[in-house]
Structures are given as structure tokens and as C-alpha cells.
Amino acid sequence: MPAVQETVERVKRIDVDQYRYGFETQIESDKAPKGLSEDIVKFISEKKNEPAWMLQWRLEAYRRWLTMTEPTWARVDYPKIDFQDLYYYAAPKPKKTVSSLDEIDPEILKTYEKLGIPLREVAMLEGVEPKPGEEDPARRKIAVDAVFDSVSVATTFKAELKKAGVIFMPISEAIREHPELVQKYLGSVVPTSDNFYATLNSAVFSDGSFVYVPPGVRCPMELSTYFRINERNTGQFERTLIIADKGSYVSYLEGCTAPQRDENQLHAAVVELVALDDAEIKYSTVQNWYPGNSEGKGGIYNFVTKRGDCRGDRSKISWTQVETGSAITWKYPSCILRGDNSSGEFYSIAISNGFQQVDSGTKMIHLGKNTSSRIISKGIAAGKSQNTYRGLVTAHRKATGARNFTACDSLLIGDKCGAHTVPYIEAKNSSATFEHEATTSKISEDVLFYCIQRGLSQEEAVGLVVNGFVKDVLQQLPMEFAVEAQKLISISLEGSVG
Amino acid sequence: MALLEVKDLKVRVEEREILHGLTMTVNEGEIHAIMGPNGSGKSTLSHVIAGKPGYEVTDGQILFKGEDLLEMAPEERAAKGVFLAFQYPVEIPGVTTMNFLRTALNAQRKARGESELMVPDFLKKVREVSKSLNIPQDMLKRGVNVGFSGGEKKRNEVLQMALFEPSLCILDEMDSGLDIDALRIAADGVNALHSPKRAMVVITHYQRLLNYIVPDIVHVMSKGRVVKSGGKELALELEASGYAQFEDAA
């Protein structure tokens, strides 16, 4: 099978050594000493000028964490992490409060420029075609919150959002400025005792984004956060909390990159979403953490807990993710369908290459009546990677009329990779309707040759077929991200030219 | 002028020789038919010309417009004007036919150093061609060949042929899986594309197709060689007496 063989060769060569975001920024940073203890937790809390209740919350989580052990059920393999050998806090100097972009270290601004993230309040995104029916593409705006190592460095369009009543700020600020909202919702979806990494995050998280959309408000622009890990040996533990009050709507995007490093870096984030009656949250991720080099050295360990609570009736939460990076991914964005007639969606593209290991999927927990959920997962495995979809769909005995549709498709490129599907389905209610479809296929030599005979190169052919394979999911992304994601998919599977 | 010259071509697949020294010349504007029983090497020849991986050329050469075709990557051959209409066109889910046509056309134009075709010009061209082939617009919005009938798949091949304007068209068993009406539409499409500069090589088992696409020259293949060449009447002769008489000749 020469054509497929050649693809495999090319894919092997590419990887990761071509990671475009692998640069490091030279800036002075303010770090806590290595290791984890109550003192470090206090140090972080103090750095953030937190109120006493927040410190207490963290300490309880920390004490809880000491009693927990790392989960081992995922289909991933890595050496044991020494949690005392990590830095838990790193902030770019100077650490004085930043009130405008001009006060931010120009090195950091340059970093974001290199990443192609507009921190200046530019209204127009270059090179984006207008959506049909949209009068003026120049009017589309995206508010950005940039998190550099552990600290949020810039949030744009704050004033304009404020006019609409939307709160979009670093969570460290929200803890001080909106304690009533934070206290009410923080940990209400992912409790501090939830799992090993979520509990660790609760103890040491240093920043992240906070969003509150008041009743009846449709957020006037896309909200976006870019996460960047820069410091060596630093864990990044960000915390995101999004609350959509009754009848509101918000679309939120996050993107992630990191420098190339020989050692592994830990990223253990927690994201909590709360949708009240008739509210809708759309959460999109393009994750491109450094995946390690061609020998499988280095890369990010991405151990993330993301969960949305459809707390209100007729509420809706939709997760869309494009996962191309990280050495190891352990991530299950989930929906708790608590409100009657609420609905949850999970659209995922997970691409693994080189020595990457992905164990990702979702949980749809049907509690309310007539709740519905939809799961579309597309896994693409190349190189020597392992790609697992793990999903849980469950209906509580009171969840009459629960409906789920799941489709898991896997595509293999080459013969040294693996794709696995592990669905768990539990219906405790006889009126539940659960459908599950799964397929596994290989990019066939015939399909590639057909495209090549029509003038496409091998790489273009693979890109075209893969983009077709993931189309259902790409369509769910906001347009700007879809363009970026499509490029990213081609890059992560492309061979070196020549 | 000679467009395609195959000289003493020997080809192996997994250690087994399939073509044992095949020679043929196709001039501009000619229509050639290659006939022969299963396993005579007809499809192998078409695959080797197009550059499908998995075949090892052990001897001989193929010249296309005087250039060494075997030195070129398959996509380069396509850009230079070699088009293979597949016996079994593949399905590409999620990639609309329209997107596929545009991507491929622009890839070929780019390889030739031409500018990309502007969207309105492209659409105009596709509409014209698809109309003449009786291809409804909604078919172009569907995934490439996904859910297409046998006839639709073959018309899609002819559509691409018309769009890419190759100088050599190889039609591999175009009649397989087609009823008589579908065959007529596809063949009419092919005939409309015939021009003094463009040559066609029609590979088929049956004489039936050659009632619609009338060849200038008929070659009979058996056991990896051309055993007889002649005018269109050779096809009729074959239809009457079968391939058995040539088995020994090989």
C-alpha cells in the first residue's frame, strides 16, 4: 500500500517539529517557590488580594486533595507526576494592576501578535469573508481575555460589554468585584471534591475568565480567551466560570498554545457553565497545546474538567472542540440536563499524531423531563498516536422522555495508530430513547489516488478528505474559528514539503 | 502528432509481471479502443499511465507530448493533461462536488503557473457544462459521488473531463454498471469533448460502447500484450467470435 505508506511517512516527519507556536518569550516573572503546601495556597491567595472566604475555599480543596489519588482509568500512559516539582504560580512582572493595554509588557503583546491574536481593540478581522446575510463584517467584534501563564494580562472591549450589562473580566477581579456572583456559582457545577485534578485546580487556580450575562441579554459579541503557558516547569490552572442568566445568550471561544519544551507541562483547568431558564451558552475550544516532539518528548499534559449545568428549563449548552495539541488529553466536556426540556450538545474533532494520546469524550446526564442531547465525535489518529472516545449517556429514573443521539466516527491514517470507542449508556427510565452509531475507517488509497489524479498533491488530498470527514463539526464553530480550525487541521496532518 | 507513446512497457505488481512489453502510439485527435478479456492488463495500463502507486515499471518508457511521463508525479501528469475516468469513482463524504471541482481545477492551474479561476467565472463554466450533461445543480452541492447512481457517477467523471480540458482522456470501463440511457448520455458527453487536439483511449470489454463512441483504432489485448490492432470493424469481429482466438497469439 504505497500511497498510504507515503502518507504515513510524511505524517511521521511532520509533526510537531513544525509546531508553529513553539517560541518562548523572554520576560521576567514573579514565581512562587516550587512545590505545593498550605503556604503556597496562601501565597497565591495573597498575591490575588483575595477575601478570606476565597482562601478558606482553596484550603478546604487543598486538604481534600491530599486525600485523593490520581485517576488511572483513562487509556493514557505517562510517568508519574511529581506534584512537588512544579511551580504553581508564575506571573509576568511588573505585577502592578494593569488598567490599559499600554501598561502591558510589550514582550507579551508581541507574543500575542505572533500568535495572531488581536489584543488591540480591532473591530475587523482580516481576511474573513462575510457570512451570507450579514450586512457588515467590519462590525463583528470579538472581546479577548488573554491569560499568560497564571495571570490574565488583558481584557478587551470591557467598556462596550459593560454597556450591555455583560461582565467579562479575569476571575481574580470578579472575586473582588462581584463576590456575590462568584460565591453563588463557583464550585456549583464542578464541586471542589469532584476529581483529583479539579480539586487541585480549586486549591491553586490563579486566574481565568469570568462571564455573567444578565437576564434577557444577547451578548453583543463573541467572547474569547487565549491561554498561553510560557514559564518552564509551570502548571497552568485556570478557572473559567460562565453564567447565562434567564433568557440570555453567549458564545465563548478559547484558544491555547505553549512553547516547545523538553519536559512535560501540566495544564489542569476547570470550566463551569451555568445556564438558567431559556438561556443558551455556546462554548468553543481550539486547543493547540504543544504536543511533544517527534520522539514523544515534551508536550502538555492536558487534564481538564469542563462541565455545563442546564439548570433552568429550556436551557441549552453546546460544546464544540477542536483538539489538535497536547501530549496527553484527558478531557470530557459534559452537560447536566437538570431543567425540563433542556438540551446539551457536544461536537468534537480530536486529531492525534506522533506519540499523542487522547482520551476524550463527553457525559450527558439527563435529569429533567424531555431533555435531549446530541453527540457528534470525529477522531482522527495518525502516526503512533492513540485516540479514544469515552462517553457516558445516562437517564435518571425521573427523566421521562430523555433523548440522545450519538455518532462517533474514527479515521485512521497509517497502521501504527489506534482508535478506540468506549461508550457507557445507562437508562434508568423506560421512556428514554438513546441512539448510538459508530464507524471506524481508514483513508483509502483509492480515495487519495482519485484526488491526486485530479491534480491535488498527496497532502492536499489528505487535507481535503479529513476536512470532509470533520465537516459536521466544523460547521458548529463560529466562522472565524472555523477558518482557523480548518487550517490547523491541515497543518497538524501535513508533511514537510519536498 | 504523437501525444502518447508507450514503448515496450513491462510492469510488475507484487513480483508478478502483468504487462510483458506493450507498445502503442496515440496521436492527437484520435480515438483508440482497448479491448480484451479480464486480466489482460487493460486497467493496469491505464493505472500506470495515470501514475497509481503499487505498480513497478521494470522496462520500457511512456512519453507524453515527448516528455518522460514516468518521471512525473501523478498530480503533475494531471496538470499536464492526463485524465483518467475511473471505472469505480470513489465517494468523498463531506466534500461537496462543487468544492472538489474548484480545488482540483485550481490545483492544476497553479501547477501550470496560471492564476486561479475567479469564482463567478468558475460557476459560469460549471453551470454550462453541467447543463449540457443533464447534471442538476443540487447534485453539485452533494458530497462527491455520495449517494450518486451509477449513471450520475459517470456523468460526474465526464463533467470533470469537460472542466479540466485534458489532452488525453482515458475512459476505464465507462459502460460498467450503466443502463442504455445512462450510457448514451455519458457517451454523448464524451463525443462532445472530442476535438482535433484531444485524444481518447476507451477501455472496454464490450463492443456496445463503441456504437456510441466510435474509435479510429481498436487494439486487442491479451495476457499483457497488444495482440492485434485494426479499424473499428475489429470490434465487431471480436463481438462475433470472442477473445478465444487471441489467447494463443499471446
Side-chain angles (χ1 to χ4, degrees):
Chain A
M1 320 222 326
V4 171
Q5 193 52 46
E6 201 181 328
T7 308
V8 173
E9 292 300 327
R10 283 175 186 223
V11 161
K12 258 193 231 150
R13 263 180 278 141
I14 54 166
D15 67 347
V16 281
D17 293 340
Q18 298 189 336
Y19 187 70
R20 286 198 311 183
Y21 309 99
F23 56 85
E24 174 179 358
T25 308
Q26 295 300 338
I27 42 147
E28 271 194 87
S29 87
D30 185 13
K31 276 196 271 195
K34 238 183 201 181
L36 186 52
S37 64
E38 289 213 0
D39 285 343
I40 293 291
V41 175
K42 283 178 191 158
F43 174 91
I44 295 168
S45 186
E46 205 171 294
K47 278 278 168 201
K48 297 280 169 190
N49 286 322
E50 284 177 356
W53 61 265
M54 196 62 235
L55 174 61
Q56 216 40 51
W57 198 83
R58 286 176 180 277
L59 286 172
E60 276 165 33
Y62 174 68
R63 287 165 198 150
R64 179 89 189 198
W65 180 73
L66 290 174
T67 68
M68 298 169 90
T69 48
E70 292 177 67
T72 53
W73 42 263
R75 200 177 198 290
V76 292
D77 188 27
Y78 56 94
K80 205 162 166 50
I81 299 169
D82 181 357
F83 289 93
Q84 294 304 336
D85 195 35
L86 286 176
Y87 291 105
Y88 287 85
Y89 181 83
K93 279 179 182 171
K95 54 191 189 297
K96 63 175 172 121
T97 342
V98 186
S99 58
S100 90
L101 283 169
D102 296 329
E103 291 173 39
I104 294 172
D105 191 327
E107 284 296 316
I108 296 180
L109 281 181
K110 259 191 242 161
T111 300
Y112 280 95
E113 245 162 60
K114 269 194 227 172
L115 296 170
I117 297 154
L119 280 189
R120 300 274 159 199
E121 303 198 357
V122 276
M124 183 151 147
L125 287 164
E126 289 175 337
V128 177
E129 289 173 63
K131 258 183 197 167
E134 202 178 70
E135 341 78 80
D136 188 358
R139 294 203 153 271
R140 274 183 78 84
K141 292 177 185 174
I142 296 182
V144 179
D145 183 22
V147 178
F148 200 83
D149 287 335
S150 305
V151 169
S152 175
V153 291
T155 308
T156 60
F157 287 112
K158 262 186 179 170
E160 194 163 340
L161 287 166
K162 205 170 174 185
K163 234 189 283 167
V166 174
I167 304 170
F168 179 40
M169 56 170 58
I171 199 161
S172 54
E173 272 177 56
I175 289 166
R176 295 191 298 266
E177 291 177 27
H178 301 281
E180 70 302 336
L181 285 172
V182 176
Q183 265 185 296
K184 185 171 176 188
Y185 291 106
L186 187 72
S188 74
V189 186
V190 179
T192 51
S193 59
D194 192 78
N195 70 70
F196 185 82
Y197 294 109
T199 306
L200 176 63
N201 173 287
S202 302
V204 301
F205 78 86
S206 34
D207 223 331
S209 301
F210 174 83
V211 178
Y212 173 77
V213 190
V217 170
R218 196 178 165 86
C219 187
M221 61 184 83
E222 307 268 359
L223 303 182
S224 169
T225 300
Y226 272 86
F227 295 106
R228 171 87 180 161
I229 301 178
N230 193 59
E231 270 305 311
R232 199 172 283 270
N233 294 329
T234 308
Q236 175 147 328
F237 305 93
E238 80 271 353
R239 185 106 194 175
T240 301
L241 176 59
I242 300 177
I243 303 135
D245 213 324
K246 291 178 182 174
S248 68
Y249 169 84
V250 63
S251 170
Y252 183 92
L253 331 165
E254 66 170 5
C256 331
T257 58
Q260 281 171 264
R261 299 229 184 265
D262 285 348
E263 65 271 21
N264 297 104
Q265 287 177 291
L266 177 64
H267 174 248
V270 172
V271 175
E272 296 179 277
L273 312 181
V274 179
L276 301 181
D277 288 356
D278 301 292
E280 183 178 347
I281 301 174
K282 195 169 159 58
Y283 193 105
S284 313
T285 304
V286 173
Q287 184 267 102
N288 187 24
W289 293 121
Y290 178 53
N293 72 5
S294 50
E295 272 95 50
K297 202 168 183 319
I300 303 284
Y301 290 168
N302 193 31
F303 300 150
V304 171
T305 305
K306 292 184 168 181
R307 199 172 300 154
D309 189 354
C310 288
R311 206 163 282 183
D313 293 348
R314 296 166 304 279
S315 58
K316 182 177 175 186
I317 289 177
S318 178
W319 298 100
T320 304
Q321 60 172 23
V322 178
E323 304 275 316
T324 62
S326 296
I328 299 177
T329 303
W330 180 96
K331 177 184 172 189
Y332 315 89
S334 305
C335 296
I336 301 168
L337 304 166
R338 202 183 299 276
D340 291 346
N341 300 297
S342 62
S343 65
E345 291 174 338
F346 175 75
Y347 297 98
S348 169
I349 298 169
I351 299 183
S352 56
N353 195 353
F355 286 85
Q356 283 177 270
Q357 303 175 60
V358 178
D359 195 299
S360 183
T362 183
K363 289 188 274 186
M364 292 292 174
I365 300 164
H366 294 255
L367 302 176
K369 292 181 176 56
N370 300 314
T371 49
S372 64
S373 61
R374 186 177 167 81
I375 299 169
I376 309 286
S377 164
K378 306 274 183 182
I380 298 152
K384 290 181 179 163
S385 66
Q386 295 295 329
N387 200 323
T388 304
Y389 167 82
R390 189 182 302 277
L392 169 70
V393 179
T394 158
H396 190 263
R397 65 187 166 77
K398 285 181 183 160
T400 49
R403 287 187 314 269
N404 166 266
F405 173 76
T406 299
C408 293
D409 298 321
S410 306
L411 189 66
L412 296 165
I413 302 177
D415 55 8
K416 300 227 165 32
C417 51
H420 318 272
T421 304
V422 190
Y424 303 83
I425 300 169
E426 295 169 11
K428 295 186 181 133
N429 184 304
S430 58
S431 66
T433 314
F434 290 170
E435 287 175 67
H436 182 95
E437 289 176 6
T439 66
T440 301
S441 50
K442 256 182 117 157
I443 290 196
S444 85
E445 199 182 324
D446 286 345
V447 170
L448 288 182
F449 181 62
Y450 186 83
C451 298
I452 291 167
Q453 209 295 307
R454 298 305 189 242
L456 272 62
S457 68
Q458 177 102 3
E459 285 163 19
E460 289 168 330
V462 171
L464 187 80
V465 173
V466 169
N467 272 307
F469 175 73
V470 300
K471 190 182 171 195
D472 302 351
V473 175
L474 277 185
Q475 283 173 337
Q476 299 298 326
L477 284 174
M479 189 183 47
E480 295 80 359
F481 254 31
V483 174
E484 189 181 328
Q486 198 163 352
K487 278 192 212 142
L488 190 58
I489 289 166
S490 299
I491 289 168
S492 39
L493 290 171
E494 125 188 323
S496 43
V497 180
Chain B
M1 193 189 131
L3 186 66
L4 177 76
E5 296 160 87
V6 182
K7 294 177 184 168
D8 198 30
L9 187 69
K10 291 182 183 168
V11 174
R12 281 170 174 235
V13 178
E14 288 166 1
E15 303 302 305
R16 203 165 68 89
E17 192 168 273
I18 307 286
L19 298 182
H20 313 287
L22 186 141
T23 298
M24 75 189 300
T25 299
V26 178
N27 294 312
E28 282 179 343
E30 287 178 351
I31 298 181
H32 287 234
I34 300 180
M35 303 185 71
N38 281 328
S40 56
K42 306 187 298 292
S43 286
T44 297
L45 176 63
S46 69
H47 290 160
V48 171
I49 292 171
K52 186 173 182 174
Y55 297 91
E56 190 196 348
V57 176
T58 53
D59 203 4
Q61 66 175 162
I62 305 178
L63 298 180
F64 181 66
K65 297 177 184 170
E67 289 182 79
D68 186 351
L69 196 68
L70 297 173
E71 283 298 306
M72 297 177 206
E75 64 268 30
E76 224 179 313
R77 302 180 197 190
K80 293 248 184 204
V82 175
F83 183 93
L84 173 62
F86 286 74
Q87 181 178 4
Y88 303 110
V90 300
E91 299 185 1
I92 313 176
V95 179
T96 63
T97 304
M98 200 61 116
N99 180 22
F100 179 77
L101 296 175
R102 200 157 76 90
T103 307
L105 182 62
N106 283 331
Q108 291 193 20
R109 291 178 67 97
K110 200 175 146 202
R112 290 193 293 260
E114 299 165 11
S115 64
E116 288 197 356
L117 206 56
M118 300 302 284
V119 175
D121 297 336
F122 169 78
L123 289 176
K124 191 168 164 253
K125 202 168 167 182
V126 173
R127 272 196 208 104
E128 277 169 18
V129 178
S130 52
K131 204 173 163 198
S132 70
L133 284 166
N134 213 357
I135 291 173
Q137 292 299 304
D138 76 288
M139 200 170 116
L140 301 174
K141 293 176 190 148
R142 279 149 60 190
V144 176
N145 292 322
V146 177
F148 285 22
S149 69
E152 284 173 330
K153 283 182 183 172
K154 295 295 162 80
R155 269 183 278 156
N156 192 13
E157 295 294 285
V158 182
L159 168 66
Q160 294 176 51
M161 207 191 291
L163 212 55
F164 302 154
E165 300 175 335
S167 36
L168 175 68
C169 305
I170 304 165
L171 313 174
D172 192 4
E173 313 249 356
M174 201 183 79
D175 45 343
S176 71
L178 291 195
D179 61 42
I180 203 76
D181 293 329
L183 179 62
R184 185 175 293 133
I185 295 171
D188 286 349
V190 171
N191 285 328
L193 292 176
H194 184 223
S195 77
K197 284 276 171 199
R198 183 174 295 144
M200 309 269 179
V201 175
V202 183
I203 294 172
T204 183
H205 277 296
Y206 305 108
Q207 192 272 336
R208 185 180 70 163
L209 176 63
L210 305 181
N211 288 335
Y212 300 98
I213 302 173
V214 181
D216 301 304
I217 296 164
V218 175
H219 306 276
V220 181
M221 272 187 77
S222 180
K223 296 180 181 167
R225 286 192 181 87
V226 173
V227 290
K228 189 167 184 183
S229 300
K232 62 182 176 205
E233 61 290 341
L234 181 58
L236 292 166
E237 193 184 308
L238 274 173
E239 186 79 354
S241 52
Y243 290 115
Q245 55 173 317
F246 298 107
E247 300 278 308
D248 300 334

